[in-house]
Amino acid sequence: VDPVMGDDGRRYVAEGVAEAVMAQLVPRASVLTPNVTELALLCPGADTASAAGCLAAARSLDRRVLVTSVPVERAGQTAALWVDPARPRAGLLLVHPVHADAPRGTGDLVAASLLAGLVRGLDGAAAAAHATAAVAEVVRRSVLWQAPELSLVAARDALLAAPAVEAIEVAG
């Protein structure tokens, strides 16, 4: 489930929607793909200003979770964070360049790419790493080409074989 409730610190949805998502969708989901803003809405009061805080918040959902737009202490970088209750002691931080002028729609592409990897039989961490790398490369090319939206067709090869992103196991 991609909760689609907000981004860049702003809520898109009416008051009460986050609570409804927590009550109705999260219990039915096997995998969640919130961005850091949506994670904060799903976990009120959680510290989502750091990777360690995002790890704690994502763990509290007790589901496999791929959080995007996780802050890291590196200039020009952001990360995705994979959390799996089957590996309760660690998460996988997937670091990649951030593009301030990235086209919208990356959350949808992350969710679709993660699902594609899981359907192909990749384990969760490998599917998350591939999805993160693929989306990062599609965004990089879209920005380079000054495309107003994600250049999915032109960058389709990146969806299958993107350059790897840095993966850091984090404990917390």
Side-chain angles (χ1 to χ4, degrees), residues 17-83:
V17 172
E19 294 79 9
V21 168
M22 272 303 284
Q24 301 297 319
L25 290 179
V26 170
R28 291 175 170 87
S30 59
V31 180
L32 296 168
T33 59
N35 60 45
V36 74
T37 299
E38 293 159 343
L39 182 65
L41 292 170
L42 291 172
C43 304
D47 169 20
T48 56
S50 69
C54 288
L55 177 61
R59 278 193 182 143
S60 76
L61 296 170
D62 197 32
R63 299 280 180 276
R64 294 184 297 171
V65 181
L66 180 59
V67 184
T68 59
S69 302
V70 174
V72 293
E73 295 181 9
R74 295 184 187 179
Q77 302 283 299
T78 189
L81 175 65
W82 174 251
V83 176

